Amino acid sequence: MTENILFILGGVAIFLYGIELMGDGLKRSAGNKIRTIIEKTTNTPLKGILVGILLTGLLQSSSGVTVLVIGLVGAGLMTLRQAVGVVFGANIGTTITSILIGLPIADYALLFVFVGVIMVFFFKRKMVQSIGTTILGFGLIFFGLDVMGSGLKEIVMTDYVHDLFLLFSDTSNSFFWFFGVTFGTLFTAAVQSSSAAIGIIQKLYHLNIEAGVQTFTLWGALPMILGANIGTTITGLLASINGTLEAKRVSAIHIMFNLIGTTIFLILLWPYHEIVEWVERTFLEPYSMATLAVAHVMMNVVTTLILFWFIDLMIKFTHVIIKDKPYNDELEVIFSESLLQETPSLALYYVKKGINKMGDLAKNYFLLAKRYSFTNEDGVVDKAEAIENTLDDYDKRLHDYMIKLVRNNSLSEKDSNRLSRDLDTIRDFERIGDHLTNLVGFFKNRYNENQVLSKGGEEDLRHYYRILEEMFDVTLASFVFNDVEKAKIAIEYETLTDKLEEKFRLSYVERLKAGELNFTSKTNYVEILSNLERIGDHLKNIAENIINPMRVPRLDTEDNPLE
C-alpha cells in the first residue's frame, strides 16, 4: 500500500510538472508575440474567442489565461467586452490538454522525455531549448500518468475505493451527480488546473480496463468534469481580489460562464451521457481516455455557442453586482503580479504604460508651475505638493515592480536593456518633479515678499518656459513611440536651454546694474533659471536613453540643498 501511494503521489507530481513545463516551453517560444497577438486580434468577441483558444494552448491553463486577461484589462490594453471573448475561448482551449492525453501515444512518453532533454542540455539556441522544454513536458505528462496508474491500479480494487466510485456512479442515488461535481470542484481548486484535474479523471476512468473491474463509470466521470470547470475559476477569483473593478468583472464572467455551463449540462445530464456514450461506442474503445476528452470539448463548445449571444447581457449583469466607485490610483491598473510570472515581456510593456502616466503627470506639474510663475493662484502650493508626492510614489512603486520583475525572471538582452533604460527614466521624471517643487517654493517666497518680476525678467522666463514646454512635448513623444528622431530634436533643445540660461542670467545681472530692480535674498531669480536648466538636463537624459539604451548610466551628482 505504501509503495502504491508513493507511485500515485510521484505520478501526480510528475504529471503536474509536465503540464507546467510544457506550458512554460510554449510560452517562451512565443511569449514575446503574445502582446502583438492580443493588441491586433481582440477587437471583437469572436476574435477574442480564437485568441483565447490560442493563448490557452500556449499556456496550457485556462486559469493562467484568465489571470493574464485580468492583468490585461487592468492595464487598459483590453476592454471588458474583448476580455469576455478571450475567457470564452480559454474554456475551449483548456480542452487541448485532455485531447492530447486521450491520444494513444503513452507508449512513447520516455522517447519524448529523451528528445526533450537532449534539446535542452545539448543545444545553445534559446528557441531550440524552449521547444525542447515543451517536448520534455509533453513526455512527462504521459510518464506521470503511467506512474500514477501503476499505483492506482491496485488501490481502485480495494473495497473502500470501490464503494467510493460506486457512490459517484450509482444513478439510483438521486444525489450521485452532487458528489461528482463537488469532488471535481474541490480537486481542481486544489491543483489549480482543470487540465490537470481532468487528465487525472481520464486516467481513473481508463483504469476500469486495466483493473478489469467496472468501478468508475461514465455516469460518475461526467459530473466530475463539470465540477472541474467550476474549480478552475478559483485561480482567477484569487487574482482579481486586489485588482480593479474591471478585473473583478472578468473573474465574475469567468465564474458565470462555468456555472451556467455546468448547470445546463447537469439539467441535460441524461442526453449528455447518451451522446458521449454513443461516441465512445461508435468511434472509440470502452473506457477510453479520449471519451472524456470528447465530453470536455462538447461541454465547453456548446456553452460558448449558447452564451456568445448573451455577452452584452453578462457584462451588464457584472456592472450590477460590481458597481463603479471612485478610483484615483492609476498605477494600480498597471501592476499585475500574474504578469510577472506569466509573460515578463508583457509586464515590462505595462511598466512603460506606467512611466507614460508618470511623464504626463510631470508635464502637468510643469504647466502648473509655469502658470504659478506669473499668476499667484490660490491652492497651487497644495496641488504641487500632491503631485510631488504622487511622483515620488510612482518612482518607488515602478522601481520596486521592475526590480521584482528582473529577480523573478530571466529576461532577454533586449528586455534587460529596456528595463535599465526605464529605471533611468522614472528617476529623471522624479527629479524633474523635485525641480518643479523648487520653482513653486521660489515663487511662493516671491509672492510673500511682494517681489514682482521686471518686464525683462518676465519676458525671459516666458521664453524659457516656451522652449522647455516644446522640449517636454518632443521628449515625451520620443519615449512613448520610441522615436529616435524626436529624441535627437530634444537633445538639440537642451543645447538651446543651456545657452538661454546663461544669456538670461547675464541679462538679469545687467538689469541689476542698471537699477531696474532691487536685489534681495528672496528674489531667487538665478535659482529659478538654474532649476529650469536642470529640467532640460533630465529631459535630455530621457532622450539619450531612447537613442542609445546601452549607454553607461550617468551619475546623478545634483547637490542643490533646496531639493
Side-chain angles (χ1 to χ4, degrees):
M1 180 62 70
T2 301
E3 183 179 347
N4 288 329
I5 292 174
L6 289 176
F7 268 111
I8 294 171
L9 295 178
V12 170
I14 294 171
F15 174 70
L16 294 176
Y17 182 62
I19 289 180
E20 178 72 19
L21 209 58
M22 184 168 73
D24 186 56
L26 288 167
K27 188 168 55 182
R28 278 192 278 145
S29 301
N32 290 330
K33 298 177 182 178
I34 290 178
R35 174 168 63 86
T36 303
I37 293 172
I38 293 171
E39 281 185 312
K40 295 183 178 180
T41 57
T42 59
N43 56 323
T44 67
L46 182 58
K47 290 180 180 179
I49 290 173
L50 298 177
V51 171
I53 295 172
L54 174 63
L55 287 180
T56 309
L58 291 175
L59 301 180
Q60 285 298 297
S61 170
S62 61
S63 301
V65 171
T66 303
V67 171
L68 177 60
V69 168
I70 287 172
L72 300 178
V73 172
L77 185 61
M78 296 176 67
T79 64
L80 181 59
R81 196 167 192 273
Q82 291 171 316
V84 172
V86 179
V87 169
F88 281 20
N91 282 279
I92 297 176
T94 195
T95 64
I96 293 174
T97 305
S98 61
I99 292 172
L100 292 175
I101 292 172
L103 297 176
I105 54 179
D107 293 341
Y108 305 100
L110 291 179
L111 177 61
F112 284 108
V113 171
F114 175 75
V115 172
V117 168
I118 293 295
M119 295 176 72
V120 170
F121 287 98
F122 293 95
F123 289 85
K124 298 297 183 183
R125 289 188 59 188
K126 295 291 186 182
M127 180 58 70
V128 175
Q129 290 181 340
S130 297
I131 295 173
T133 301
T134 304
I135 295 173
L136 174 59
F138 187 66
L140 288 178
I141 288 174
F142 290 96
F143 180 64
L145 282 172
D146 275 349
V147 172
M148 180 179 62
S150 299
L152 284 171
K153 195 183 303 181
E154 300 293 331
I155 291 180
V156 295
M157 298 180 67
T158 63
D159 292 339
Y160 176 77
V161 175
H162 183 271
D163 293 342
L164 180 64
F165 281 165
L166 284 179
L167 181 66
F168 292 142
S169 305
D170 184 7
T171 55
S172 65
N173 185 334
S174 301
F175 294 98
F176 81 96
W177 59 268
F178 175 78
F179 298 125
V181 170
T182 302
F183 176 84
T185 300
L186 296 178
F187 185 62
T188 306
V191 299
Q192 294 284 292
S193 170
S194 62
S195 298
I198 290 173
I200 293 172
I201 294 169
Q202 286 176 278
K203 187 62 179 179
L204 287 171
Y205 182 68
H206 184 63
L207 283 175
N208 281 281
I209 290 179
E210 297 184 15
V213 180
Q214 182 177 328
T215 58
F216 188 42
T217 68
L218 193 59
W219 282 111
L222 292 181
M224 285 188 185
I225 288 179
L226 297 178
N229 269 35
I230 298 176
T232 194
T233 64
I234 300 299
T235 309
L237 178 63
L238 294 175
S240 70
I241 288 175
N242 294 320
T244 64
L245 292 176
E246 293 295 270
K248 290 181 172 66
R249 287 168 182 150
V250 173
S251 176
I253 286 174
H254 187 215
I255 293 171
M256 287 165 56
F257 178 96
N258 288 282
L259 283 177
I260 292 172
T262 298
T263 302
I264 291 173
F265 277 82
L266 280 176
I267 293 172
L268 303 174
L269 187 58
W270 184 83
Y272 180 39
H273 173 274
E274 293 302 306
I275 292 172
V276 174
E277 187 179 49
W278 176 82
V279 171
E280 181 181 57
R281 189 171 58 248
T282 307
F283 301 103
L284 305 170
E285 298 176 354
Y287 301 107
S288 167
M289 288 195 289
T291 301
L292 297 190
V294 171
H296 193 206
V297 172
M298 183 186 304
M299 184 266 184
N300 284 289
V301 170
V302 171
T303 303
T304 299
L305 291 175
I306 294 173
L307 295 184
F308 178 80
W309 307 103
F310 299 94
I311 287 177
D312 290 335
L313 186 62
M314 293 174 72
I315 292 174
K316 289 180 182 178
F317 182 69
T318 61
H319 280 83
V320 172
I321 60 176
I322 304 173
K323 299 185 182 298
D324 291 317
K325 61 182 179 180
Y327 196 84
N328 299 317
D329 187 356
E330 294 186 340
L331 264 198
E332 193 66 38
V333 303
I334 295 297
F335 294 146
S336 170
E337 294 296 319
S338 61
L339 294 183
L340 288 176
Q341 299 292 340
E342 297 292 347
T343 46
S345 61
L346 198 58
L348 195 57
Y349 172 77
Y350 293 142
V351 164
K352 183 173 180 180
K353 289 173 70 71
I355 300 174
N356 291 345
K357 289 181 179 295
M358 192 177 183
D360 291 339
L361 189 64
K363 173 66 185 303
N364 291 334
Y365 195 8
F366 174 83
L367 295 177
L368 179 69
K370 175 185 175 182
R371 290 201 313 272
Y372 190 60
S373 300
F374 307 108
T375 306
N376 185 12
E377 298 179 10
D378 293 335
V380 168
V381 175
D382 291 337
K383 290 179 183 177
E385 183 179 359
I387 295 176
E388 167 66 7
N389 290 337
T390 303
L391 285 172
D392 289 343
D393 180 54
Y394 274 34
D395 176 36
K396 182 180 184 304
R397 293 165 67 192
L398 282 165
H399 176 274
D400 291 348
Y401 188 75
M402 282 189 276
I403 295 302
K404 189 184 298 185
L405 175 62
V406 76
R407 285 177 178 171
N408 291 355
N409 300 278
S410 178
L411 298 178
S412 66
E413 183 179 357
K414 179 181 177 181
D415 285 343
S416 295
N417 292 339
R418 286 175 57 195
L419 185 137
S420 177
R421 179 198 68 184
D422 291 347
L423 282 170
D424 274 350
T425 300
I426 62 172
R427 179 62 174 164
D428 282 311
F429 281 134
E430 190 275 332
R431 296 297 290 172
I432 287 172
D434 290 343
H435 289 298
L436 292 170
T437 298
N438 291 343
L439 289 173
V440 171
F442 292 148
F443 280 99
K444 177 184 177 182
N445 290 338
R446 291 178 66 92
Y447 290 133
N448 289 339
E449 297 294 322
N450 294 317
Q451 292 284 335
V452 179
L453 286 170
S454 65
K455 183 178 179 181
E458 181 175 342
E459 289 176 355
D460 288 350
L461 272 186
R462 287 188 182 277
H463 183 60
Y464 210 160
Y465 271 118
R466 181 177 61 80
I467 296 300
L468 272 179
E469 185 174 348
E470 292 174 2
M471 184 182 182
F472 223 126
D473 288 336
V474 76
T475 302
L476 289 180
S478 72
F479 180 77
V480 171
F481 301 107
N482 203 36
D483 192 322
V484 173
E485 294 305 316
K486 279 187 169 58
K488 291 178 179 178
I489 295 173
I491 291 175
E492 292 176 3
Y493 268 110
E494 196 275 336
T495 303
L496 177 58
T497 61
D498 286 347
K499 293 179 179 178
L500 288 178
E501 192 267 342
E502 182 178 359
K503 176 183 176 181
F504 294 157
R505 185 159 35 84
L506 292 174
S507 297
Y508 169 70
V509 172
E510 291 300 320
R511 287 193 295 275
L512 281 176
K513 290 180 179 179
E516 295 179 19
L517 48 89
N518 295 320
F519 176 80
T520 72
S521 61
K522 300 295 184 181
T523 301
N524 296 329
Y525 193 80
V526 173
E527 288 89 345
I528 290 169
L529 293 175
S530 176
N531 276 267
L532 290 172
E533 189 271 335
R534 296 311 295 270
I535 290 173
D537 289 344
H538 287 292
L539 292 173
K540 176 187 176 184
N541 289 337
I542 296 170
E544 285 182 336
N545 275 325
I546 296 297
I547 297 172
N548 182 18
M550 290 291 291
R551 74 191 184 95
V552 178
R554 81 271 177 212
L555 294 175
D556 200 340
T557 57
E558 298 186 45
D559 55 2
N560 190 333
L562 294 170
E563 295 185 36

Short mmCIF file of all heavy atoms in Angstrom, two decimals, residues 169 375 455:
data_model
loop_
_atom_site.label_atom_id
_atom_site.label_comp_id
_atom_site.label_asym_id
_atom_site.label_seq_id
_atom_site.Cartn_x
_atom_site.Cartn_y
_atom_site.Cartn_z
N SER A 169 -21.04 6.85 -9.12
CA SER A 169 -21.62 6.30 -10.35
C SER A 169 -23.00 5.69 -10.18
O SER A 169 -23.63 5.30 -11.16
CB SER A 169 -20.68 5.22 -10.92
OG SER A 169 -19.37 5.73 -11.12
N THR A 375 1.22 84.06 -12.18
CA THR A 375 -0.06 84.39 -11.53
C THR A 375 -0.13 83.68 -10.19
O THR A 375 0.03 82.46 -10.13
CB THR A 375 -1.25 83.95 -12.40
OG1 THR A 375 -1.12 84.50 -13.71
CG2 THR A 375 -2.57 84.41 -11.78
N LYS A 455 9.81 93.62 -16.28
CA LYS A 455 9.30 93.34 -17.62
C LYS A 455 10.27 92.44 -18.38
O LYS A 455 9.87 91.45 -19.01
CB LYS A 455 9.11 94.65 -18.38
CG LYS A 455 8.52 94.45 -19.78
CD LYS A 455 8.30 95.78 -20.47
CE LYS A 455 7.75 95.55 -21.88
NZ LYS A 455 7.54 96.84 -22.60
#
